[in-house]
Amino acid sequence: MKEDIQNIKLKLSNPQDIVILSHRNPDGDAVGSTVALSRFLKKGNHAVKIIYPSEYPLVFQYLIEGMQAPLIYDLNPQECLEAIKTAGVIFLLDFNALDRIDKMGETVMFSKATKILIDHHIDPEPIADFILSDTKASSTSEMVYLFMRDLGMLERLDIQMGEALFTGLITDTGSFRYSTRGLTYQIAGELKNIGVDDYALSNLIFNSLEPKNLKLLGHCLANRMVLLTEHKAAYIFLTKDDYQQFGISRGDTEGIVNYLLMMKDIVLAALITEQPSIIKISLRSKDDINVQQMAAAHFNGGGHKNASGGSAYAKLDDVINRFTKVVPNFVK
Ligand code: 5GP
Ligand code: MN
């Protein structure tokens, strides 16, 4: 580990062409960790490009202000592949399997660049030269802070990087309600000390809904919620028609699944959505209920013990039936 850091430090001691990649449907931690690392590396005179497979939620636009916009594979595939091919160093942040970056996976695999993975998901695949994996970390943003510290370069941390890292901390921990450890709070404290306005960030991120979001939430809870009381589970499903009727777009369903866990006797929750060509499932659980295993075994996915996701090329009803059938195996 120490040796890895020394070798990475050596590699970064000369200016490099660097690409920082994160996963499709980037969340607050993906955007926060990549933006912070990008700003950090630019201060070290590297040329840095951030690439996401698909667009990032507009709510995180404040992190991008004043910097070169990330490249989006869906919008600009050639430019993304070219950047990966010419990079000398590639950072892989907040994911640990190449299928999370869609069609760019192959290009990354064959690239001769030095690859550095920083991530906190379970079961990393051997896809990088340096694998900094810590499933106890609250977020990749927490790990990027520790990476800067371990490089001995925390003096480079500025308020913009701090805001980006703090964004990752609060989004991946649900405002410090889960996945925390002592270090998480210490780092949050350090970031606040350098001037990060946590209250303003919370407002920007969590109090920024449009009326249509609350109407959608009402619809989900009133008309699309199914309780499997006997198994302490519940799910919400959304059809293609719902997407049309409520004008749902990317990011609008974020957080809805968590409402199910607010019920006292529910320990496992799912949001099952009918996308244009795929069914997506988001899984959440309490305590020792392991939805990572459920996602990996039944929905071609993965993630964390208490928050995972996956997908299936199937009909909505089939995925709902599959979920209902396997639930008893995971709730004891
Ligand atoms: P969400 O339910 O919010 O989409 O994702 C929850 C967690 O599961 C995240 O940590 C995310 O990285 C992971 N996850 C979501 N979808 C997939 C997937 O298709 N494959 C894998 N391996 N992980 C996923
Ligand atoms: Mn994360």
Side-chain angles (χ1 to χ4, degrees), residues 25-27 54-60 205 208-209 212-213 216 243 247-256 271 275:
N25 302 325
D27 54 10
S54 60
E55 289 180 83
Y56 59 89
L58 275 183
V59 65
F60 301 121
I205 298 168
S208 65
L209 295 182
K212 75 163 189 176
N213 297 112
L216 170 65
Y243 272 77
I248 306 174
S249 51
R250 194 167 40 88
D252 285 348
T253 53
E254 194 72 40
I256 288 179
L271 174 71
Q275 311 281 329

Side-chain angles (χ1 to χ4, degrees), residues 121-271:
H121 294 87
I122 296 171
D123 286 342
E125 291 183 3
I127 55 175
D129 303 287
F130 299 100
I131 301 209
L132 311 182
S133 163
D134 183 358
T135 56
K136 297 240 161 34
S138 70
S139 53
T140 300
S141 296
E142 180 173 316
M143 294 182 71
V144 167
Y145 178 93
L146 297 172
F147 178 64
M148 295 174 186
R149 182 198 68 182
D150 293 346
L151 288 173
M153 296 181 179
L154 266 185
E155 82 284 353
R156 220 189 258 176
L157 182 66
D158 61 24
I159 188 158
Q160 278 128 340
M161 292 176 214
E163 284 169 355
L165 294 177
F166 207 96
T167 296
L169 288 187
I170 44 178
T171 52
D172 259 26
T173 62
S175 300
F176 303 104
R177 280 176 301 139
Y178 44 78
S179 313
T180 61
R181 56 180 173 177
L183 259 180
T184 315
Y185 289 95
Q186 280 173 26
I187 293 168
E190 292 300 323
L191 296 178
K192 185 150 179 158
N193 282 340
I194 65 162
V196 170
D197 187 342
D198 53 337
Y199 178 69
L201 278 180
S202 275
N203 265 331
L204 271 176
I205 298 168
F206 299 114
N207 296 337
S208 65
L209 295 182
E210 303 288 338
K212 75 163 189 176
N213 297 112
L214 290 192
K215 287 180 185 164
L216 170 65
L217 177 62
H219 174 63
C220 287
L221 300 179
N223 310 315
R224 293 287 180 262
M225 178 174 87
V226 180
L227 298 175
L228 308 171
T229 315
E230 194 185 339
H231 301 298
K232 301 188 175 177
Y235 66 89
I236 287 169
F237 65 96
L238 283 170
T239 66
K240 271 186 195 164
D241 285 349
D242 290 326
Y243 272 77
Q244 278 224 312
Q245 192 191 337
F246 286 86
I248 306 174
S249 51
R250 194 167 40 88
D252 285 348
T253 53
E254 194 72 40
I256 288 179
V257 64
N258 297 314
Y259 282 86
L260 298 172
L261 288 187
M262 288 182 171
M263 285 181 279
K264 183 158 58 92
D265 293 325
I266 298 296
V267 296
L268 194 159
L271 174 71

Side-chain angles (χ1 to χ4, degrees), residues 24 100 121 280 282 284 301-304 307-310:
R24 95 171 88 93
R100 300 280 287 141
H121 294 87
K280 166 101 180 101
S282 281
R284 299 291 186 273
H304 311 279
S308 279

Side-chain angles (χ1 to χ4, degrees), residues 35-43 63 65 67 160-161:
V35 165
L37 183 65
S38 167
R39 289 185 178 279
F40 174 81
L41 293 170
K42 278 185 185 161
K43 275 200 183 175
L63 293 178
E65 303 294 344
M67 59 180 275
Q160 278 128 340
M161 292 176 214

Side-chain angles (χ1 to χ4, degrees), residues 29 94 120 172:
D29 189 31
D94 202 39
H120 66 133
D172 259 26

